[in-house]
């Protein structure tokens, strides 16, 4: 989308991204006994499922993010962890995070077709990304009394939609597209800012074992879930990710979720709203200084991306990308 006035580009994110501390120094205690290849430098984050460390791969001499699961994590979460690692190693795109290595808790075990190796998958080494996600950038901007500039967001959407199109070309539906999974970082060699789509843990492989396209259980963040994604045993395809991109567009441009008033409501109420309710157009929440034709374009993009019927949405990420980049004044119909 072209603007009639000069606006900052993705470089607007530069200071915020560069200012994010990578974590606190960690004691020399290795989280993976017996694995000497990775030298832990600092703890980046920790949660109920495990820890993430910044580490040095002493063989290839590069920094990696080392994700280590707790030993008592349920089997279902280990399955998700392993899926993320396998897809991260398989999918090769600059807008996705690379996974370099994966191992088992308690050391490697002999390959045995009868073993449930998903129960043992416990750590992975992946691309280390200094930076922050779009949700934190949005919260930081709102705390200062302003939003994120459209021209900077435009670059983000271009990069994320490119990564999504690649996933869909590979017959993979992400199922968890949202600002918290859009990560702004710097290329370690060129220092250019780029946005990567994170977390393939609940991605759905349309050519996987089931190969039906149907998903038996609900997966995803209910604030961004497409109507068809809110029901178990329903068909899921890439257009569910298009819907989530539309919901993300709304939040990143306005600072509020389409169904912000339902954040404290029962889950069933929010899921019903995704299927049946029409939120206010994003233009209601845009700053008064927003050019009218830009506000109209954002309304159009949201309405098309988040149509309740999948066949009424943009049919591909590439189609949505073309609409976003179209000059102002050009109809989306």
């Amino acid at each position: 989308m072209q603007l009639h006035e000069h606006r900052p580009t993705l470089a607007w994110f530069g200071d915020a991204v560069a200012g994010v501390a990578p974590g606190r120094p960690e004691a020399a205690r290795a989280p993976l006994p017996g694995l000497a290849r990775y030298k832990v430098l600092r703890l980046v984050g920790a949660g109920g499922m495990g820890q993430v460390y910044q580490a040095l791969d002493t063989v290839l001499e590069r920094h990696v993010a080392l994700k280590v699961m707790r030993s008592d994590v349920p089997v279902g979460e280990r399955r998700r962890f392993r899926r993320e690692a396998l897809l991260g190693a398989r999918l090769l795109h600059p807008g996705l995070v690379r996974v370099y290595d994966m191992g088992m808790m308690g050391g490697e075990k002999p390959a045995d077709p009868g073993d449930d190796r998903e129960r043992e998958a416990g750590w992975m080494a992946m691309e280390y990304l200094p930076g922050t996600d779009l949700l934190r950038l949005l919260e930081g901007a709102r705390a200062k009394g302003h939003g994120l500039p459209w021209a900077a967001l435009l670059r983000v959407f271009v990069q994320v939609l490119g990564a999504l199109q690649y996933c869909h070309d590979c017959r993979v539906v992400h199922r968890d597209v949202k600002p918290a999974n859009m990560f702004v970082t710097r290329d370690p060699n060129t220092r250019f800012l780029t946005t990567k789509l994170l977390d393939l843990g609940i991605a759905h492989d349309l050519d996987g074992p089931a190969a039906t396209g149907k998903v038996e259980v609900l997966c995803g963040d209910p604030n961004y879930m497409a109507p068809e994604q809110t029901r178990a045993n329903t068909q899921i395809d890439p257009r569910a990710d298009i819907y989530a991109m539309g919901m993300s567009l709304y939040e990143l441009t306005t600072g509020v979720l389409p169904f912000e008033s339902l954040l404290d409501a029962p889950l069933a109420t929010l899921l019903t709203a995704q299927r049946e309710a029409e939120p206010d157009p994003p233009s209601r929440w845009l700053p008064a200084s927003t050019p009218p034709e830009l506000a109209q374009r954002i309304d159009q993009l949201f309405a098309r991306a988040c149509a309740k019927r999948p066949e009424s949405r943009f049919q591909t990420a590439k189609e949505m990308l073309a609409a976003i980049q179209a000059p102002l004044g050009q109809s989306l119909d």
Side-chain angles (χ1 to χ4, degrees):
M1 184 182 298
Q2 299 174 356
L3 299 180
H4 298 305
E5 57 181 310
H6 175 73
R7 299 268 181 123
T9 63
L10 189 60
W12 183 89
F13 292 138
D15 292 340
V17 173
V20 175
R24 61 178 182 274
E26 181 70 3
R29 181 179 63 84
L32 301 170
L35 191 64
R37 174 172 180 169
Y38 300 104
K39 178 183 178 183
V40 172
L41 302 177
R42 61 186 71 237
L43 179 68
V44 176
M49 295 298 172
Q51 299 81 35
V52 180
Y53 301 89
Q54 180 187 358
L56 176 66
D57 180 339
T58 59
V59 175
L60 293 176
E61 299 182 354
R62 64 183 174 187
H63 286 219
V64 299
L66 199 61
K67 295 181 68 172
V68 183
M69 295 198 77
R70 291 166 49 99
S71 59
D72 58 350
V73 169
V75 173
E77 289 301 323
R78 291 194 180 282
R79 198 169 287 129
R80 171 177 174 170
F81 187 87
R82 186 168 187 265
R83 183 188 304 119
E84 180 182 6
L86 293 177
L87 285 174
R90 168 186 149 196
L91 301 178
L92 308 177
H93 187 277
L96 300 173
V97 182
R98 292 291 309 279
V99 172
Y100 304 130
D101 196 5
M102 181 182 73
M104 312 298 164
M105 295 301 294
E108 301 294 332
K109 295 187 176 182
D112 181 341
D115 286 346
D116 183 0
R117 294 178 69 83
E118 290 177 345
R119 294 177 182 271
E120 301 298 330
W123 64 268
M124 75 175 84
M126 58 199 305
E127 187 178 1
Y128 175 68
L129 302 176
T132 193
D133 63 71
L134 262 295
L135 183 59
R136 290 184 181 182
L137 284 171
L138 176 63
E139 291 171 345
R142 292 184 65 188
K144 296 177 181 178
H146 59 79
L148 300 177
W150 170 255
L153 289 176
L154 175 59
R155 286 287 303 278
V156 167
F157 296 138
V158 167
Q159 293 168 343
V160 173
L161 284 166
L164 263 186
Q165 184 63 56
Y166 175 82
C167 288
H168 298 164
D169 288 343
C170 294
R171 303 275 295 161
V172 171
V173 184
H174 189 282
R175 293 202 297 172
D176 201 17
V177 175
K178 58 185 178 181
N181 282 337
M182 301 174 189
F183 199 90
V184 182
T185 186
R186 285 190 183 275
D187 183 284
N189 299 307
T190 66
R191 306 302 297 162
F192 293 152
L193 283 161
T194 187
T195 307
K196 291 181 180 278
L197 184 60
L198 307 182
D199 197 353
L200 292 165
I202 62 170
H204 182 55
D205 189 344
L206 293 171
D207 294 326
T212 64
K214 290 187 177 181
V215 180
E216 295 181 357
V217 296
L218 298 183
C219 289
D221 188 319
N223 290 299
Y224 308 89
M225 288 170 67
E228 64 273 20
Q229 201 176 344
T230 65
R231 295 188 177 97
N233 295 306
T234 54
Q235 197 82 13
I236 297 294
D237 66 31
R239 292 173 296 185
D241 288 342
I242 300 300
Y243 186 95
M245 278 298 299
M247 300 296 275
S248 299
L249 170 75
Y250 192 116
E251 183 179 20
L252 289 170
T253 54
T254 68
V256 298
L257 286 160
F259 295 114
E260 185 90 11
S261 63
L262 299 180
L263 284 178
D264 296 323
L267 175 60
T269 301
L270 178 54
L271 297 182
T272 299
Q274 295 287 22
R275 293 192 294 267
E276 301 175 2
E278 295 292 346
D280 292 327
S283 58
R284 175 180 176 183
W285 305 104
L286 291 173
S289 59
T290 304
E293 56 184 353
L294 175 57
Q296 181 182 29
R297 174 55 59 86
I298 292 173
D299 282 351
Q300 292 172 330
L301 289 167
F302 172 73
R304 180 81 176 274
C306 292
K308 301 301 182 184
R309 293 160 53 92
E311 57 269 28
S312 298
R313 299 173 201 154
F314 297 112
Q315 295 301 286
T316 64
K318 185 177 180 180
E319 185 182 350
M320 184 174 180
L321 175 58
I324 284 179
Q325 293 181 305
L328 287 172
Q330 179 173 314
S331 174
L332 292 180
D333 298 330

